[in-house]
Amino acid sequence: MATGSPALDRIVERLGSTSDPRRRYEYVLWLAKKLEPLPDDLRQDAFKVKGCVSQVYVVGSLEGGRLHWRGDSDAQITKGLLALLIEGLEGLTPSEVTALDPSFIAATGLQASLTPSRANGFLNILRTMQGQASQLDAG
């Protein structure tokens, strides 16, 4: 499956190629550990992901026409899902991010082992990132 992001394609391929839900979770938790800490001054309502049970913040910035992301969550699995999206969408243009079809989420195989609220939260994080990309593109 081609998402339009080589990094996201690699992540989707890696997750989709294993049938073991535990290995998928381990990979998501590993991504969570790699995520840079988010400064307290960025933990504000403007960057909070709506519709998530856990506290999730994502901050996009536009430099040279490319998006850069930071974020954090108080729940490790959610933090890993956020880290997956941050890694997968890093360096894309706003139009590439807004054009992303969320069907790639199913190709990861994660939905089979995520609770409905986490799966919904994953989609809400993506939608928030797409909204920020659109706003940053508009100036």
Side-chain angles (χ1 to χ4, degrees):
M1 152 168 257
T3 62
S5 162
L8 189 57
D9 290 347
R10 282 191 299 276
I11 294 168
V12 170
E13 171 67 28
R14 181 170 189 167
L15 287 167
S17 68
T18 182
S19 58
D20 183 356
R22 201 174 109 241
R23 290 194 39 129
R24 285 191 199 111
Y25 266 122
E26 287 169 354
Y27 181 63
V28 168
L29 290 170
W30 177 76
L31 288 172
K33 287 182 186 141
K34 287 183 21 175
L35 199 60
E36 300 268 329
L38 186 70
D40 286 339
D41 63 321
L42 294 177
R43 294 173 190 272
Q44 48 186 275
D45 277 349
F47 303 123
K48 193 172 184 180
V49 176
K50 312 290 185 261
C52 279
V53 176
S54 30
Q55 302 291 311
V56 185
Y57 298 91
V58 65
V59 183
S61 62
L62 190 60
E63 297 165 31
R66 299 280 172 185
L67 288 160
H68 303 283
W69 303 98
R70 300 178 79 179
D72 198 7
S73 175
D74 61 352
Q76 285 300 91
I77 292 289
T78 306
K79 185 175 184 172
L81 297 172
L82 171 65
L84 183 160
L85 290 172
I86 285 174
E87 189 169 315
L89 277 55
E90 177 65 25
L92 296 181
T93 65
S95 59
E96 289 170 330
V97 170
T98 55
L100 228 134
D101 183 342
S103 64
F104 76 85
I105 295 171
T108 64
L110 284 167
Q111 284 184 302
S113 48
L114 291 177
T115 63
S117 65
R118 276 216 179 96
N120 191 42
F122 192 23
L123 183 59
N124 287 336
I125 295 167
L126 174 62
R127 293 285 187 226
T128 299
M129 293 172 84
Q130 289 178 316
Q132 286 185 23
S134 182
Q135 287 177 328
L136 288 165
D137 195 31

